[in-house]
Amino acid sequence: MIVDIVMPKMGESITEGTILEWRKKVGDTVEKDELFLEIGTDKVDSEIPCLESGTIVEILADVNDIVEVGKVIARVETSTSKNNQNEKITPSKSLPPTKSSDSLAEETSIKPTQDQLNSQKSLNSDSNKFYTPAVLKAARLNKVSTAELDQIQGSGRKGRVTKKDILDYTASLKNISTPQPTDKTKTQFPTSSRSEEMDHMRKIISDHMQKSLQTSAHVHVVNEVNMTSIRNYISKKNELFKQKEGFDLTYTPFIIDSLIKALKDFPELNSSLLDTTVTYHKNINIGVAVSLNEGLMVPVILNCEEKNFLGLCRALNDIATRARTNQISPDELSRSTFTISNFGVFDVTIGTPIINQPNVGILGVGAIKKRPVVIESENGDSIAIQSMMNLSLGFDHRLIDGSGGAKFINGIRDHIENMNLENLY
């Protein structure tokens, strides 16, 4: 029986996906639940398992093709439909041959040369690592043995070796073997440059950021926040908190808790703007920017106004952990009403983040630094070492004026500095 493989629906808001990589070609067998395809959406990349065991007889979408959800992208002939074990499987004549089927026809009709046989022999099955057909082909063409292939550090997801890694490896060998000029009077320039296509996540980020800059009239304001009390609290409570909850107590939940209170005071910052229509959201859904090796992801904590401090800690740890282990679903990357970006974890003190559409505001969190600060009191001024942090607010000037932005960021600061740390959780 021929089974249609369709573009899966990755989330309620997802209507199409991009083919990133086929791990099988026409004629290959595939097992049920085996990961044989990688697709990307405007939210997240995903590895897709096959729903049936059998042999791939047609691939109807090439790499980088954008395909609507529900459209057939491949066909698999299940083993129960074979009457003869030795019967050769060929693609249907009613559809044009794909690139993969052409390659298969060439392989079966052209006798390999001795060099090709030696290359294929060197890429034997001794390796325990998984390599895609594209990588194995690149290794054969560049005469890279299995032993060499196993030593290459992969730049793909989960350390997987890519075709680009093979090309970079062979290029590095050529550079080593090429003698360099010894004339010191000549200026040394790189012998070659290289160009490459952005990966799918980088394209999504690029497109989203460009659209945001074209859509919103960005304005940024910055203010200092004294984090000394919270820093002392974390130093005192973190060990016990970690024993109980299994993860560290960080500064971010304190900032989000104060942000939620400020959004209740200034509901215009918890809104969306479409053309000239303003939507004021009932719930506070905070998007949290999470840095990954291959880019950036913004999972969302829903209904933050309903969570206590401990609930925020748990929700934040959950989405950050699952984002970094590629376990976030596309639906969890949508419906934010405000976003926070903590670049302080990279020891950056001030930043001007771009608004995450369709929000009208984004909060940037800088690194906490100890420095001398003037302390005002009824007994006079004094200088003390305090833990200070810069908060930056980016807001859409189409809806929020400078005074509104200033009042909002000052409100966040006041909530942080005057937070009641007694019986916090």
Side-chain angles (χ1 to χ4, degrees), residues 324-375:
R324 294 189 178 102
T325 55
N326 195 31
Q327 296 177 4
I328 287 289
S329 69
D331 285 338
E332 293 178 286
L333 301 174
S334 58
R335 293 187 286 168
S336 68
T337 60
F338 197 94
T339 302
I340 180 172
S341 178
N342 188 356
F343 39 76
V345 296
F346 303 107
D347 203 33
V348 175
T349 55
I350 300 177
T352 55
I354 298 174
I355 296 171
N356 182 30
Q357 297 296 322
N359 302 166
V360 296
I362 184 170
L363 186 69
V365 179
I368 298 174
K369 302 283 188 178
K370 287 186 177 181
R371 59 175 180 264
V373 176
V374 174
I375 305 296

Side-chain angles (χ1 to χ4, degrees), residues 13-55:
S13 60
I14 307 301
T15 59
E16 61 186 18
T18 302
I19 304 295
L20 299 183
E21 180 185 358
W22 286 103
R23 298 183 180 177
K24 298 286 185 177
K25 63 179 183 294
V26 173
D28 286 350
T29 58
V30 61
E31 299 296 327
K32 185 176 181 180
D33 297 329
E34 179 182 0
L35 299 177
F36 79 129
L37 168 66
E38 186 172 350
I39 65 172
T41 69
D42 61 350
K43 302 293 184 184
V44 68
D45 299 346
S46 301
E47 295 173 311
I48 307 300
C50 189
L51 299 179
E52 297 287 346
S53 298
T55 303

